[in-house]
Amino acid sequence: MSAAEPEAPAPAAHPEPEPGPAPVRRWRVLVTAVVVLALLLGGVLTLMAMARLKDTPAARNRALTDAPATSRVADDIGDALTRVLSYSPGSTDATRRTARELLAGKAARQYAELFGQVEKKAAAQRLTLTTHVVRAGVIRLTAGRAELLVFLDQVAQRKGERPATTAAQLSVRAELRGGRWRITGITSR
């Protein structure tokens, strides 16, 4: 080494970090963590909102969500009403037996009381009543209960007279018992 040549600096005991990559890397990790947490929170909130939507009265009403079950109850109740509200002077016993199969609870008690009076008059007046369900709409439906609004036409005919048609509306409650829908309440509207 010559006197004119400057001496090379001695290596530093601790090298200084390069100014660019480490802070950028930390920043990326922090941003990624925040984004992941935000997505997780958003997912949890979305799942909670979906659970609340599934638990609304409208979502529990199968009449709005289960077309086959709704159709079945409407058909079964329509058929039951046609059968228990139709009779002729010679068929009142059969109609009474059918009502015992298709009605229950308050509806069965009301029917028995009213049909006793009708039965006496049907033979004396030679009255035939034929009921046609025009439309049965299911208002509420659960796995075992149903509420319906039923529109029907009834044609009454006495022997030797012209038939008279009357329209009627009924609110009907029914319960599924032993795999069969039975009418438990009938209210004239």
Side-chain angles (χ1 to χ4, degrees), residues 57-72:
R60 287 188 303 263
N61 185 357
R62 290 178 56 198
L64 302 173
T65 59
D66 189 344
T70 302
S71 181
R72 177 182 173 217

Side-chain angles (χ1 to χ4, degrees), residues 102-180:
L102 301 174
L103 303 177
K106 184 178 178 182
R109 290 188 300 275
Q110 288 174 325
Y111 185 86
E113 186 178 305
L114 292 173
F115 197 72
Q117 299 168 15
V118 168
E119 200 168 17
K120 293 173 190 171
K121 293 180 183 178
Q125 297 177 355
R126 308 290 298 159
L127 177 65
T128 299
L129 182 69
T130 307
T131 300
H132 302 282
V133 172
V134 176
R135 184 82 170 146
V138 181
I139 299 167
R140 278 186 226 11
L141 178 62
T142 65
R145 295 182 190 269
E147 293 178 31
L148 298 90
L149 179 60
V150 181
F151 297 90
L152 42 90
D153 286 337
Q154 293 183 302
V155 180
Q157 185 170 15
R158 289 182 173 81
K159 189 170 182 170
E161 295 182 20
R162 297 186 71 174
T165 302
T166 305
Q169 291 180 38
L170 302 175
S171 290
V172 178
R173 286 182 314 282
E175 290 181 9
L176 188 61
R177 295 181 180 180
R180 181 182 212 172

Side-chain angles (χ1 to χ4, degrees), residues 37-112:
L37 286 174
L39 289 174
L40 285 173
L41 180 62
V44 168
L45 292 175
T46 300
L47 289 174
M48 290 171 57
M50 287 174 54
R52 267 188 265 123
L53 287 176
K54 286 182 180 181
D55 197 35
T56 64
R60 287 188 303 263
N61 185 357
R62 290 178 56 198
L64 302 173
T65 59
D66 189 344
T70 302
S71 181
R72 177 182 173 217
V73 71
D75 291 346
D76 287 357
I77 297 304
D79 179 60
L81 288 171
T82 297
R83 293 175 63 195
V84 300
L85 297 178
S86 297
Y87 57 86
S88 64
S91 72
T92 55
D93 286 340
T95 302
R96 182 183 290 280
R97 281 191 304 276
T98 300
R100 283 188 202 121
E101 294 172 18
L102 301 174
L103 303 177
K106 184 178 178 182
R109 290 188 300 275
Q110 288 174 325
Y111 185 86

Side-chain angles (χ1 to χ4, degrees), residues 1-8:
M1 233 192 212
S2 72
E5 277 184 38
E7 204 175 288

